[in-house]
Amino acid sequence: MITVLFFAGIREEVGMDQLQVEKQDITVSQLKEYLQTEYQLSSLQQVMVAVNESFVTEDETLKDRDTVAFIPPVSGG
Amino acid sequence: MITVLFFAGIREEVGMDQLQVEKQDITVSQLKEYLQTEYQLSSLQQVMVAVNESFVTEDETLKDRDTVAFIPPVSGG
Amino acid sequence: MELFEITHSPISVEALINKVSRREAGAITTFIGTVREFTKGKKTLSLEYQAYEPMAVKMLSQIGDEIQQKWPDALTAITHRVGKLDITEVAVVIAVSSPHRKTAYEANEYAIERIKQIVPIWKKEFWEDGTKWIGDQLETVEYPEGKPSKGESM
Amino acid sequence: MELFEITHSPISVEALINKVSRREAGAITTFIGTVREFTKGKKTLSLEYQAYEPMAVKMLSQIGDEIQQKWPDALTAITHRVGKLDITEVAVVIAVSSPHRKTAYEANEYAIERIKQIVPIWKKEFWEDGTKWIGDQLETVEYPEGKPSKGESM
């Protein structure tokens, strides 16, 4: 199982802070495709992805119990 | 009469904060020469000069009641 | 004492200065990011900051490590506030101490640039006619490498 | 409220920040010059600052005018302390606010450079083996023009 976290505009679009996905051994890119199909998300193209609080690339493979966060362009400061 | 102000190392060398000089219509350069002769001052070469709180050059002419300050290299900040 | 923090309360600039003050420092710079009323002519009523808090703390701490690599003499503390903020309220404070002033300025400016690149914090603007989550403010819409760079020193 | 001051008392950084804080500012930078224990390996016990006070205030104010010319968006406040100071005590605080951060950094650094050129304040160092009035710290012994330049914008 993978935990997926949403923030900012994506959180508002999805309508929830997080969800659990019953998958593993898929890539970040495959997870994105799955979520886009499942939730009709418009804004997953420009987001970065963090796994367990570290930035990763799209080809990172996800393990059971990983926490994936979608990070839209940041605007702190 | 001209009021002359001393600061920092020059103040310690002269042994006073200020003095009155009974002169006028002399240049800054002439005043320096006069003070160096009168007080055996070693350190008037590298100082800047302010008249009535504005920096001036050596050829500035001093009027009666001007306040002249010798400004050694500054070290604030 | 934590040098890198996310807080839900008002930030004390003095507290951050105290975190980096030390006998070998001759210079301390602070950057205080405040909520500005007008951005490109548009009037902001208030802001809301949201953070992925544990990762934001981790990234702030990474910025501290990057600064340590680039300017070994510098000591950095950063606190970013989240939640709703009014005009003139303080959103972020960066304090850097160093024996010499040049380093204190450079490292401080580096920190704010990096915050705007890699720290997962988002700003929502509230205007009279609506709201919007603001994207990347570095005028780059996409990350050419697919993720933010880790900085020269990493 | 005076933006440019010489004081004989401890300086409040918060007070200076408040002087420049305003609704149109998104960035405030501060520079805090503190008494450092070691300079080039030599241990300082304490410092004494002396100023030609009325002229120092006038020159600080001139620096403010120069900044206004170069960065019209910036608002600057500077307070320099005089008298005896111990290690880690604050000698000078410069606060600059601006809508954008770049200006706040640049104008702040300009201010400290100009203070070290034209403001009649002197520092006496107290060491274990003696004292000395410190000269110009910009590594230039003489002023080629016979007096400090008035800055590009003047």
Side-chain angles (χ1 to χ4, degrees):
Chain A
M1 199 183 66
I2 292 163
T3 301
V4 182
L5 306 180
F6 301 109
F7 297 97
I10 303 175
R11 178 181 290 183
E12 291 189 355
E13 194 181 348
V14 183
M16 53 188 156
D17 295 10
Q18 60 175 77
L19 60 81
Q20 314 292 330
V21 178
E22 286 294 345
K23 290 189 181 293
Q24 64 187 58
D25 301 321
I26 60 168
T27 64
V28 164
S29 174
Q30 287 167 333
L31 176 67
K32 273 189 174 182
E33 275 169 47
Y34 168 76
L35 291 171
Q36 277 177 313
T37 313
E38 205 76 358
Y39 297 89
Q40 281 83 44
L41 284 175
S42 64
S43 42
L44 280 190
Q45 286 320 310
Q46 288 185 16
V47 307
M48 296 176 285
V49 179
V51 173
N52 306 327
E53 302 171 13
S54 293
F55 287 111
V56 298
T57 53
E58 298 265 308
D59 51 11
E60 181 83 4
T61 300
L62 300 166
K63 303 180 307 296
D64 189 28
R65 290 198 273 191
D66 273 350
T67 296
V68 178
F70 291 110
I71 314 277
V74 303
S75 50
Chain B
M1 201 184 65
I2 293 162
T3 301
V4 182
L5 306 180
F6 301 109
F7 296 97
I10 303 175
R11 178 181 290 183
E12 291 189 356
E13 194 182 349
V14 182
M16 51 189 161
D17 295 9
Q18 60 176 76
L19 60 80
Q20 315 293 330
V21 179
E22 285 295 346
K23 290 190 181 295
Q24 63 187 57
D25 301 323
I26 60 169
T27 65
V28 164
S29 174
Q30 287 167 332
L31 176 68
K32 273 190 174 181
E33 274 169 46
Y34 167 76
L35 290 171
Q36 276 177 314
T37 313
E38 205 76 357
Y39 296 91
Q40 281 84 47
L41 283 174
S42 63
S43 43
L44 281 190
Q45 286 319 311
Q46 289 184 17
V47 305
M48 295 176 284
V49 179
V51 173
N52 306 328
E53 301 170 12
S54 293
F55 286 112
V56 298
T57 52
E58 298 266 307
D59 51 10
E60 181 84 4
T61 299
L62 301 167
K63 303 181 306 296
D64 189 29
R65 290 196 274 192
D66 273 351
T67 297
V68 178
F70 291 109
I71 314 278
V74 302
S75 50
Chain C
M1 185 189 69
E2 298 299 331
L3 291 174
F4 305 99
E5 290 188 280
I6 300 293
T7 180
H8 294 253
S9 314
I11 306 171
S12 157
V13 180
E14 296 277 6
L16 266 89
I17 292 168
N18 291 338
K19 285 183 186 180
V20 301
S21 179
R22 55 210 164 110
R23 298 176 75 81
E24 56 269 44
I28 300 172
T29 52
T30 71
F31 174 83
I32 301 154
T34 57
V35 178
R36 185 176 56 201
E37 184 164 28
F38 287 95
T39 296
K40 289 171 187 160
K42 189 148 186 166
K43 186 173 176 175
T44 300
L45 300 177
S46 65
L47 285 187
E48 184 188 337
Y49 284 95
Q50 186 182 93
Y52 178 13
E53 296 193 23
M55 185 173 170
V57 171
K58 198 174 155 186
M59 290 296 112
L60 291 177
S61 169
Q62 178 185 314
I63 293 169
D65 292 344
E66 290 174 16
I67 288 172
Q68 204 76 58
Q69 288 284 320
K70 292 167 92 76
W71 296 278
D73 278 348
L75 178 63
T76 307
I78 308 175
T79 298
H80 202 300
R81 185 170 167 192
V82 293
K84 201 131 181 188
L85 273 74
D86 292 324
I87 307 299
T88 78
E89 279 199 285
V90 174
V92 62
V93 177
I94 303 164
V96 178
S97 70
S98 166
H100 301 284
R101 66 186 183 280
K102 195 80 198 168
T103 295
Y105 281 110
E106 286 179 359
N108 198 305
E109 194 166 4
Y110 178 84
I112 185 67
E113 296 298 325
R114 292 296 279 158
I115 286 171
K116 289 172 181 288
Q117 289 168 351
I118 66 166
V119 181
I121 299 176
W122 300 272
K123 176 167 76 176
K124 185 179 194 171
E125 298 221 358
F126 291 77
W127 302 299
E128 277 164 352
D129 60 351
T131 68
K132 195 189 172 196
W133 283 102
I134 304 300
D136 173 11
Q137 299 170 297
L138 292 167
E139 335 252 283
T140 53
V141 178
E142 291 166 278
Y143 293 87
E145 298 164 47
K147 59 173 184 163
S149 105
K150 286 194 172 170
E152 289 165 40
S153 68
M154 297 304 284
Chain D
M1 185 189 68
E2 299 297 330
L3 291 174
F4 306 99
E5 290 188 280
I6 299 294
T7 180
H8 294 254
S9 315
I11 305 172
S12 157
V13 179
E14 297 277 6
L16 266 91
I17 291 168
N18 291 338
K19 285 183 187 183
V20 300
S21 180
R22 57 210 164 108
R23 297 176 77 81
E24 57 268 44
I28 300 172
T29 52
T30 71
F31 174 85
I32 301 154
T34 56
V35 179
R36 186 175 56 199
E37 185 163 28
F38 286 95
T39 296
K40 289 172 187 161
K42 188 147 187 168
K43 186 173 176 174
T44 300
L45 301 177
S46 66
L47 285 187
E48 184 188 337
Y49 283 95
Q50 186 182 94
Y52 178 14
E53 297 193 21
M55 184 173 170
V57 170
K58 197 174 154 185
M59 290 296 111
L60 290 176
S61 169
Q62 177 186 314
I63 292 170
D65 292 344
E66 290 175 18
I67 288 172
Q68 203 76 60
Q69 289 285 320
K70 292 167 92 78
W71 297 279
D73 278 348
L75 178 63
T76 308
I78 307 174
T79 299
H80 203 300
R81 185 171 167 192
V82 293
K84 201 132 180 186
L85 274 75
D86 292 324
I87 307 300
T88 79
E89 281 200 284
V90 174
V92 62
V93 176
I94 303 165
V96 178
S97 70
S98 166
H100 302 285
R101 66 185 182 283
K102 196 80 198 166
T103 295
Y105 281 109
E106 286 179 357
N108 198 305
E109 194 165 5
Y110 178 84
I112 185 66
E113 296 298 325
R114 292 296 280 157
I115 287 171
K116 289 172 181 287
Q117 288 168 351
I118 66 165
V119 181
I121 298 176
W122 301 271
K123 175 166 78 175
K124 186 180 193 170
E125 298 222 358
F126 291 76
W127 302 300
E128 275 164 354
D129 60 352
T131 68
K132 194 190 172 195
W133 283 102
I134 304 300
D136 173 10
Q137 299 170 297
L138 293 167
E139 337 253 280
T140 53
V141 178
E142 291 165 277
Y143 294 86
E145 297 164 48
K147 58 171 186 166
S149 105
K150 286 192 174 173
E152 289 166 39
S153 67
M154 298 301 284

